Amino acid sequence: MSEGGVPPPTFAPEEVGVQLARAGEVADRREVGLWLVGGALRDVLLERPLRDVDLAVEAAAATALELATRLGTLPGWALEKAHARFGTATLRAPGGLRVDVAATRREEYPSPASLPVVTGTTTIEDDLGRRDFTVHSMARRVGKRGLTGHVLDPFGGRKDLAAKTLRLLHPKSLVDDPTRAYRAVKYAVRFGFSWDGEFVKALKAARHAKAFQALSGDRMRRGFEEIFLESDWERAARLIEELELLGDVLPGWTGPHSPSKKKATDAAASSPLVALPPPGERPKAEISWKRLFAPLTEVERAAAASRLNFPKALRRAAGVESR
């Protein structure tokens, strides 16, 4: 996740296409299936600049890592990190373009909000079925000529993309991974998307299964902070209030414009909202949290910061603790 300040660089689809062709040539020589997936393909279909690239390797983890290592030897490319257990790797292509490589895999969630357990290698079709939204569950083959063939779309993602709809792949999606609720808000803000009617039902199922209670403070905090790195802070706050996501942190907490159930007694709790940075700049995490904490009492702020596992520096910067 990028910090507050200047937004991260973006790359034109044509620029990315040149690097995809280079990666595809390596994959073709190794006779390995390489696919553009996730948000990268979504942005290509929307004809938007790309922030990064997700590549799925239709092979075992060892083969995916071998391919990533070979990509790292291309001129201007560098292998930054690799995880043998999961068959994943991160590279930097020319210009600083981030490229994430992963073997296609099956996953299981042992309990609500748990991290997934990889259960084996699988086909690209099955791999797409483990993702968050249909608009991210598409793939297109990458070869020496760049993107080739038709879009593989087993869940109707292209139709949902045209309709600007966020649709989960199955009713227990948020039980498995409640951070997908934060991602829904992030994409709604970034693209003007809306979630379908089943999303709220899935959110209720996640709360009934106590998935948010099982979510670690770090994962919950990062979910909110990624939302507020988007371009429209006020829209993000309204959507968070609409889904009552802050109530999963602290019962009764709705948002920066609404008081908590407890009456604020200190002057800070009723103070005006902290100003956002100028347009084009992303607010730092402490600015967002100060705005969100505005209607809370000191006791509530401390409780929320504890649940979200605030680092000590962030507690001070956000006004939870005195310096």
Side-chain angles (χ1 to χ4, degrees), residues 42-267:
R42 173 204 66 211
D43 290 345
V44 167
L45 294 174
L46 289 173
E47 299 181 346
R48 293 175 59 100
L50 283 74
R51 300 186 178 191
D52 48 39
V53 167
D54 297 311
L55 296 176
V57 183
E58 198 168 12
T63 302
L65 288 181
E66 179 188 357
L67 179 64
T69 300
R70 290 180 178 275
L71 293 179
T73 65
L74 290 173
W77 288 61
L79 178 64
E80 292 191 337
K81 58 184 177 181
H83 299 283
R85 179 183 174 188
F86 299 107
T88 61
T90 299
L91 302 100
R92 290 287 171 181
L97 173 66
R98 173 174 169 147
V99 179
D100 290 315
V101 175
T104 52
R105 62 189 187 268
R106 290 190 301 271
E107 293 177 341
E108 292 181 356
Y109 292 83
S111 59
S114 65
L115 293 175
V117 174
V118 177
T119 59
T121 305
T122 190
T123 63
I124 183 64
E125 289 87 354
D126 286 345
D127 181 85
L128 295 177
R130 67 178 179 82
R131 298 174 184 272
D132 51 9
F133 304 103
T134 59
V135 295
H136 297 147
S137 300
M138 298 179 283
R140 192 173 177 190
R141 189 69 178 261
V142 179
K144 63 183 179 181
R145 298 183 183 276
L147 294 175
T148 63
H150 68 281
V151 174
L152 187 63
D153 184 14
F155 301 101
R158 202 160 190 176
K159 180 180 178 181
D160 288 337
L161 196 61
K164 295 186 175 182
T165 299
L166 291 169
R167 183 162 57 89
L168 296 165
L169 267 64
H170 59 88
K172 287 187 61 182
S173 181
L174 300 185
V175 174
D176 291 340
D177 185 357
T179 66
R180 290 168 176 165
Y182 309 131
R183 274 179 262 162
V185 175
K186 178 174 69 173
Y187 298 129
V189 174
R190 186 186 303 176
F191 300 114
F193 289 176
S194 301
W195 37 80
D196 70 349
E198 297 302 308
F199 184 86
V200 175
K201 294 179 182 178
L203 190 59
K204 290 180 180 178
R207 287 172 174 146
H208 181 74
K210 296 181 170 39
F212 285 96
Q213 293 180 31
L215 195 61
S216 73
D218 287 330
R219 292 178 69 196
M220 186 176 277
R221 185 185 72 252
R222 286 194 295 267
F224 283 111
E225 289 176 354
E226 288 185 4
I227 292 172
F228 288 112
L229 287 177
E230 296 301 324
S231 58
D232 190 338
W233 201 98
E234 293 294 342
R235 174 168 165 76
R238 289 194 298 272
L239 292 176
I240 285 173
E241 289 187 14
E242 179 181 327
L243 295 179
E244 301 179 352
L245 294 177
L246 291 174
D248 298 307
V249 179
L250 184 71
W253 187 15
T254 55
H257 302 293
S258 303
S260 61
K261 289 181 178 178
K262 296 179 182 179
K263 183 179 179 181
T265 56
D266 58 295

